[in-house]
Short mmCIF file of all heavy atoms in Angstrom, two decimals:
data_model
loop_
_atom_site.label_atom_id
_atom_site.label_comp_id
_atom_site.label_asym_id
_atom_site.label_seq_id
_atom_site.Cartn_x
_atom_site.Cartn_y
_atom_site.Cartn_z
N GLU A 8 15.54 94.08 -10.56
CA GLU A 8 15.10 92.86 -9.80
C GLU A 8 14.97 91.60 -10.70
O GLU A 8 15.31 90.56 -10.34
CB GLU A 8 13.77 93.14 -9.21
CG GLU A 8 13.82 93.88 -7.79
CD GLU A 8 14.63 93.15 -6.78
OE1 GLU A 8 14.53 91.92 -6.51
OE2 GLU A 8 15.41 93.86 -6.13
N ARG A 9 14.48 91.87 -11.92
CA ARG A 9 14.37 90.73 -12.87
C ARG A 9 15.79 90.17 -13.26
O ARG A 9 15.94 88.96 -13.31
CB ARG A 9 13.65 91.18 -14.13
CG ARG A 9 13.51 90.14 -15.19
CD ARG A 9 12.61 88.89 -14.72
NE ARG A 9 11.35 89.05 -15.02
CZ ARG A 9 10.40 88.16 -14.64
NH1 ARG A 9 10.67 87.11 -14.07
NH2 ARG A 9 9.16 88.47 -14.98
N GLU A 10 16.64 91.09 -13.48
CA GLU A 10 18.11 90.58 -13.79
C GLU A 10 18.63 89.71 -12.63
O GLU A 10 19.28 88.76 -12.81
CB GLU A 10 18.93 91.84 -14.17
CG GLU A 10 18.61 92.36 -15.61
CD GLU A 10 19.30 93.74 -15.75
OE1 GLU A 10 19.74 94.41 -14.88
OE2 GLU A 10 19.30 94.12 -16.98
N ARG A 11 18.37 90.33 -11.42
CA ARG A 11 18.95 89.54 -10.27
C ARG A 11 18.26 88.21 -10.22
O ARG A 11 18.93 87.19 -9.84
CB ARG A 11 18.68 90.41 -9.06
CG ARG A 11 19.50 89.96 -7.78
CD ARG A 11 19.30 90.88 -6.54
NE ARG A 11 19.94 92.17 -6.85
CZ ARG A 11 19.29 93.30 -7.00
NH1 ARG A 11 18.01 93.39 -6.98
NH2 ARG A 11 19.98 94.49 -7.21
N GLU A 12 17.00 88.11 -10.45
CA GLU A 12 16.28 86.88 -10.48
C GLU A 12 16.89 85.89 -11.45
O GLU A 12 17.04 84.68 -11.24
CB GLU A 12 14.76 87.08 -10.72
CG GLU A 12 13.87 85.89 -10.65
CD GLU A 12 12.45 86.28 -10.87
OE1 GLU A 12 12.08 87.39 -11.43
OE2 GLU A 12 11.57 85.55 -10.45
N VAL A 13 17.06 86.46 -12.76
CA VAL A 13 17.66 85.61 -13.72
C VAL A 13 19.06 85.18 -13.35
O VAL A 13 19.39 84.02 -13.53
CB VAL A 13 17.72 86.30 -15.13
CG1 VAL A 13 18.60 85.67 -16.09
CG2 VAL A 13 16.18 86.59 -15.63
N LEU A 14 19.93 86.06 -12.77
CA LEU A 14 21.25 85.65 -12.34
C LEU A 14 21.19 84.63 -11.23
O LEU A 14 22.03 83.70 -11.29
CB LEU A 14 22.00 86.92 -11.81
CG LEU A 14 23.44 86.70 -11.30
CD1 LEU A 14 24.28 86.06 -12.41
CD2 LEU A 14 24.02 87.98 -10.74
N ASP A 15 20.22 84.68 -10.32
CA ASP A 15 20.09 83.62 -9.28
C ASP A 15 19.84 82.27 -9.90
O ASP A 15 20.40 81.33 -9.65
CB ASP A 15 19.02 84.03 -8.36
CG ASP A 15 18.78 83.01 -7.28
OD1 ASP A 15 19.75 82.92 -6.44
OD2 ASP A 15 17.77 82.39 -7.19
N MET A 16 19.03 82.30 -10.94
CA MET A 16 18.70 81.04 -11.66
C MET A 16 19.87 80.53 -12.47
O MET A 16 20.16 79.25 -12.57
CB MET A 16 17.43 81.16 -12.64
CG MET A 16 16.20 81.50 -11.72
SD MET A 16 14.76 82.03 -12.78
CE MET A 16 13.97 80.43 -12.79
N VAL A 17 20.52 81.39 -13.08
CA VAL A 17 21.86 81.04 -13.79
C VAL A 17 22.77 80.43 -12.77
O VAL A 17 23.34 79.35 -13.01
CB VAL A 17 22.49 82.29 -14.55
CG1 VAL A 17 23.91 81.99 -14.94
CG2 VAL A 17 21.60 82.69 -15.69
N ALA A 18 22.99 81.01 -11.68
CA ALA A 18 23.84 80.55 -10.64
C ALA A 18 23.41 79.17 -10.03
O ALA A 18 24.19 78.42 -9.54
CB ALA A 18 24.05 81.58 -9.48
N ARG A 19 22.09 78.89 -10.13
CA ARG A 19 21.65 77.53 -9.80
C ARG A 19 21.82 76.54 -10.80
O ARG A 19 21.53 75.40 -10.62
CB ARG A 19 20.18 77.68 -9.39
CG ARG A 19 19.90 78.44 -8.05
CD ARG A 19 18.49 78.47 -7.57
NE ARG A 19 17.49 77.89 -8.47
CZ ARG A 19 16.41 78.52 -8.62
NH1 ARG A 19 16.14 79.78 -8.27
NH2 ARG A 19 15.47 77.91 -9.49
N GLY A 20 22.38 76.97 -12.00
CA GLY A 20 22.75 75.94 -13.07
C GLY A 20 21.53 75.85 -14.19
O GLY A 20 21.66 74.90 -14.89
N LEU A 21 20.52 76.69 -14.08
CA LEU A 21 19.48 76.56 -15.12
C LEU A 21 20.00 77.21 -16.38
O LEU A 21 20.72 78.18 -16.36
CB LEU A 21 18.35 77.33 -14.57
CG LEU A 21 17.32 76.50 -13.64
CD1 LEU A 21 18.07 76.23 -12.37
CD2 LEU A 21 16.06 77.33 -13.38
N ASP A 22 19.60 76.51 -17.44
CA ASP A 22 19.87 77.12 -18.83
C ASP A 22 18.84 78.06 -19.21
O ASP A 22 17.77 78.21 -18.58
CB ASP A 22 20.01 75.99 -19.87
CG ASP A 22 18.80 75.18 -20.09
OD1 ASP A 22 17.77 75.61 -19.73
OD2 ASP A 22 18.99 74.12 -20.76
N ASN A 23 19.08 78.77 -20.34
CA ASN A 23 18.16 79.88 -20.70
C ASN A 23 16.72 79.35 -20.99
O ASN A 23 15.79 79.94 -20.65
CB ASN A 23 18.65 80.59 -22.01
CG ASN A 23 19.79 81.47 -21.67
OD1 ASN A 23 20.26 81.56 -20.53
ND2 ASN A 23 20.45 82.08 -22.64
N ARG A 24 16.65 78.09 -21.59
CA ARG A 24 15.39 77.54 -21.85
C ARG A 24 14.56 77.26 -20.63
O ARG A 24 13.31 77.57 -20.56
CB ARG A 24 15.43 76.24 -22.65
CG ARG A 24 14.16 75.59 -23.01
CD ARG A 24 14.29 74.34 -23.79
NE ARG A 24 14.59 74.98 -25.19
CZ ARG A 24 15.17 74.29 -26.18
NH1 ARG A 24 15.50 73.01 -26.09
NH2 ARG A 24 15.29 74.88 -27.35
N ARG A 25 15.19 76.67 -19.55
CA ARG A 25 14.49 76.42 -18.37
C ARG A 25 14.18 77.73 -17.61
O ARG A 25 13.07 77.86 -17.03
CB ARG A 25 15.45 75.58 -17.48
CG ARG A 25 14.80 75.29 -16.07
CD ARG A 25 14.04 74.07 -16.10
NE ARG A 25 13.44 73.80 -14.77
CZ ARG A 25 14.02 73.13 -13.86
NH1 ARG A 25 15.09 72.44 -14.12
NH2 ARG A 25 13.54 72.99 -12.65
N ILE A 26 14.99 78.75 -17.65
CA ILE A 26 14.63 80.03 -17.04
C ILE A 26 13.49 80.65 -17.73
O ILE A 26 12.61 81.06 -17.05
CB ILE A 26 15.94 80.98 -17.01
CG1 ILE A 26 17.05 80.37 -16.25
CG2 ILE A 26 15.48 82.39 -16.68
CD1 ILE A 26 18.39 81.20 -16.46
N ALA A 27 13.45 80.64 -19.05
CA ALA A 27 12.39 81.08 -19.86
C ALA A 27 11.00 80.44 -19.38
O ALA A 27 9.90 81.02 -19.15
CB ALA A 27 12.53 80.94 -21.22
N ARG A 28 11.00 79.09 -19.27
CA ARG A 28 9.86 78.33 -18.86
C ARG A 28 9.45 78.72 -17.48
O ARG A 28 8.26 78.97 -17.19
CB ARG A 28 10.09 76.85 -18.89
CG ARG A 28 9.89 76.26 -20.17
CD ARG A 28 9.67 74.66 -20.14
NE ARG A 28 10.67 74.00 -19.28
CZ ARG A 28 11.77 73.43 -19.66
NH1 ARG A 28 11.95 73.31 -20.99
NH2 ARG A 28 12.58 72.84 -18.82
N GLU A 29 10.36 78.75 -16.44
CA GLU A 29 9.93 79.09 -15.14
C GLU A 29 9.49 80.57 -15.00
O GLU A 29 8.59 80.77 -14.09
CB GLU A 29 11.11 78.85 -14.15
CG GLU A 29 11.41 77.34 -14.02
CD GLU A 29 12.19 77.01 -12.82
OE1 GLU A 29 12.23 77.78 -11.88
OE2 GLU A 29 12.76 75.85 -12.77
N LEU A 30 10.07 81.43 -15.67
CA LEU A 30 9.59 82.88 -15.57
C LEU A 30 8.50 83.32 -16.60
O LEU A 30 8.12 84.48 -16.54
CB LEU A 30 10.84 83.81 -15.68
CG LEU A 30 11.89 83.73 -14.62
CD1 LEU A 30 13.06 84.68 -14.91
CD2 LEU A 30 11.33 83.85 -13.28
N VAL A 31 8.19 82.32 -17.44
CA VAL A 31 7.12 82.60 -18.41
C VAL A 31 7.53 83.79 -19.36
O VAL A 31 6.84 84.79 -19.48
CB VAL A 31 5.68 82.82 -17.89
CG1 VAL A 31 4.68 82.78 -18.97
CG2 VAL A 31 5.36 81.80 -16.79
N LEU A 32 8.76 83.56 -19.87
CA LEU A 32 9.30 84.57 -20.84
C LEU A 32 9.83 83.76 -22.02
O LEU A 32 9.95 82.57 -22.06
CB LEU A 32 10.57 85.16 -20.17
CG LEU A 32 10.42 86.02 -18.85
CD1 LEU A 32 11.74 86.37 -18.32
CD2 LEU A 32 9.58 87.14 -19.20
N SER A 33 10.06 84.54 -23.09
CA SER A 33 10.68 83.99 -24.27
C SER A 33 12.18 83.78 -24.05
O SER A 33 12.79 84.43 -23.20
CB SER A 33 10.48 84.81 -25.56
OG SER A 33 11.31 85.88 -25.51
N GLU A 34 12.76 82.74 -24.79
CA GLU A 34 14.15 82.52 -24.62
C GLU A 34 14.98 83.76 -25.11
O GLU A 34 16.00 84.00 -24.50
CB GLU A 34 14.64 81.34 -25.45
CG GLU A 34 14.25 79.95 -24.78
CD GLU A 34 14.85 78.93 -25.59
OE1 GLU A 34 16.21 78.70 -25.65
OE2 GLU A 34 14.11 77.99 -26.10
N ASN A 35 14.45 84.43 -26.07
CA ASN A 35 15.12 85.64 -26.52
C ASN A 35 15.22 86.71 -25.38
O ASN A 35 16.28 87.39 -25.20
CB ASN A 35 14.32 86.28 -27.65
CG ASN A 35 15.12 86.27 -28.91
OD1 ASN A 35 16.21 85.68 -28.94
ND2 ASN A 35 14.36 86.71 -30.02
N THR A 36 14.14 86.84 -24.59
CA THR A 36 14.05 87.84 -23.55
C THR A 36 15.10 87.44 -22.40
O THR A 36 15.85 88.22 -21.88
CB THR A 36 12.72 87.87 -22.90
OG1 THR A 36 11.77 88.38 -23.97
CG2 THR A 36 12.65 88.84 -21.72
N VAL A 37 15.09 86.16 -22.16
CA VAL A 37 16.17 85.65 -21.22
C VAL A 37 17.54 85.90 -21.65
O VAL A 37 18.44 86.38 -20.93
CB VAL A 37 15.91 84.18 -20.82
CG1 VAL A 37 17.09 83.63 -19.99
CG2 VAL A 37 14.60 83.93 -20.17
N ARG A 38 17.82 85.68 -23.01
CA ARG A 38 19.12 85.86 -23.47
C ARG A 38 19.49 87.34 -23.40
O ARG A 38 20.66 87.64 -23.07
CB ARG A 38 19.12 85.38 -25.08
CG ARG A 38 20.22 84.51 -25.31
CD ARG A 38 20.42 84.22 -26.81
NE ARG A 38 19.14 84.29 -27.71
CZ ARG A 38 18.25 83.20 -27.87
NH1 ARG A 38 18.50 82.15 -27.36
NH2 ARG A 38 17.22 83.41 -28.64
#
């Protein structure tokens, strides 16, 4: 579910830094 959530955000054009901020994760975790 988390990977699908990240993929949805990637598909919306968000970069890793923005995804990390929105999901309250580290950039490393998003990467």
